[in-house]
Amino acid sequence: MAQAPVPAANKPFALAVHGGAGVISRKTITPEVEAQYRAALERALLAGYAILNRGGTSTDAVVAVIKVFEDDPLFNAGKGAVFSSEGKNELDAAIMDGKTGLAGAVAGVTTIKNPITAARAVMDKTKHVMLIGKGAEQFAVDQHLDIVDPSYFYTEYRWQQLQRAKEKNRIELDHNGKAPQAQESTVPFWQTDYKHGTVGAVALDQAGNLAAGTSTGGLTNKLYGRVGDSPIIGAGTYADNATAAISGTGTGEFYMRAVLAHEIAAKMKYAHQPLGTAVDDVIQTALTDKGGTGGVIGIDAKGNIKFGFNTEGMYRGYIKNDGKPVVAIFKEE
Amino acid sequence: MAQAPVPAANKPFALAVHGGAGVISRKTITPEVEAQYRAALERALLAGYAILNRGGTSTDAVVAVIKVFEDDPLFNAGKGAVFSSEGKNELDAAIMDGKTGLAGAVAGVTTIKNPITAARAVMDKTKHVMLIGKGAEQFAVDQHLDIVDPSYFYTEYRWQQLQRAKEKNRIELDHNGKAPQAQESTVPFWQTDYKHGTVGAVALDQAGNLAAGTSTGGLTNKLYGRVGDSPIIGAGTYADNATAAISGTGTGEFYMRAVLAHEIAAKMKYAHQPLGTAVDDVIQTALTDKGGTGGVIGIDAKGNIKFGFNTEGMYRGYIKNDGKPVVAIFKEE
């Protein structure tokens, strides 16, 4: 697509987003659903564009984008989050400011309408990086963030997804005759239900500052207060003006063990790889070799954008100064 | 100290431990307390030595060492953990296996006698990396780990520490006349009460495999379910046979933002720095420049050990094949 010239008044800026990676192909989603996702990705991109175009910060843009995703039942974050094995929606989110190196995260929260705003408040209003559970929820109350009853996060689609996951486990356990164990009663990461994933955004603002943010409802039927990579600085979320802003979506445990987002930044910083090479190395080699699946989005200080994933698809898009959102879903796009 | 020759039957192995870094000097602790810490460090080292000397794994050694620390009220982990602002002992721990790249962590747990054993069970018995709060506690029950009433963790010394911290905040708030805010009602990281810190261990076993583990009670008077660097893979705990095993202790938020343990490994892997240089760079430059304080212990695949800290002291020690524990507390040792 030919891009319009950059308006003279504006310095270059750029924004990239993802809405999850997984078994997403023209065989698994209908044209109607595909159109809904494309429209949702455009809405999110335009929300961030409005901020960046008027000279706003990359952190503001990232929060605005992720709030759009969190409010949209299509995505596994905020409203639309998957259910844990206890039938709860337990949400995680993180944000990092590449200029200051500050970061904020919340995990295991059930009453905060937009977890990304809580992550941002942790970053801006405390000396801490990560707050969890009831403590994080009390903090959100004290910060006058939007609080909702946990039932707000209920969606019929996700509830049915949980029932199918539980049924699938029961059948599998009946079949192999073994007693339930922790790992067996967790839905496999690669099941098709996982296709609707984590959301994230990375941005470069006109002042040249990077930011990254990620928000998720985690895994359907997850047990034991499991926390994935999204709220872990360095794993699913990382930003540093000296290298890049990164947000991941995929089999979170592999991202955590690989410290994946920071690994990409480290390859740029110490092995002097460009963003694209570093992402390809980590996703197509390190992650794939370990058996992990998923993707990342990255943006560097020059506004170069990289989408990397080893799945059939990833809901994704970008927008630059010309204000024209470009979205994609399938691998071959 | 001259070291005895390595017994022919044994391949080289090594173990290093820390019991916290901070305002620890001959002015702040009495000779009696100093002797208690030295004896405790030796006990921990010998527990790990027994495993490594008979050919056990580095992960087994790390767990054994940290259990000794967790059971000792001298250290801020397990029995002896500090109190949160709610008067609870909220514990975090993590372990990582440098051979497999697997890792496990728990955060915000109040009923697990030895959180390091729960972290290890997460690594060994699930596909997950991190479990938090009630979920992690239920997992520990299901795994038949030692469960205790939260009152087990009560120590009079730590309770008085909490009362002093609360009083100090009240006075400070009265003094500056400002309304309480999240960051103000948290005890400053650098206060002297922080000197009794997080514990950790890193080990190289005879098979040439590395492991790292860390356990903590966090900050006195901490609010809002704050989680520090200890249970975050890449921040306070990291191990990879290709580089090093690292465990940190200090102002956790700085470790999380810097992804400090993984940063050390990345400098070794991509900038080809030896362990000692990488640790010094990160602690004496990156951490210090940002205003963070603390230390790390590291061990590489050749058994080289590095202690790095920018505080007045760090409870620390090491042991190798000769079975003679070497411990130190003050900077000048």
Side-chain angles (χ1 to χ4, degrees), chain B residues 122-143:
Chain B
V122 172
M123 177 171 76
D124 289 349
K125 304 295 178 65
T126 82
K127 294 192 185 300
H128 298 317
V129 171
M130 188 176 201
L131 305 180
I132 63 173
K134 296 289 177 201
E137 293 171 356
Q138 182 57 50
F139 170 74
V141 169
D142 293 349
Q143 292 292 318

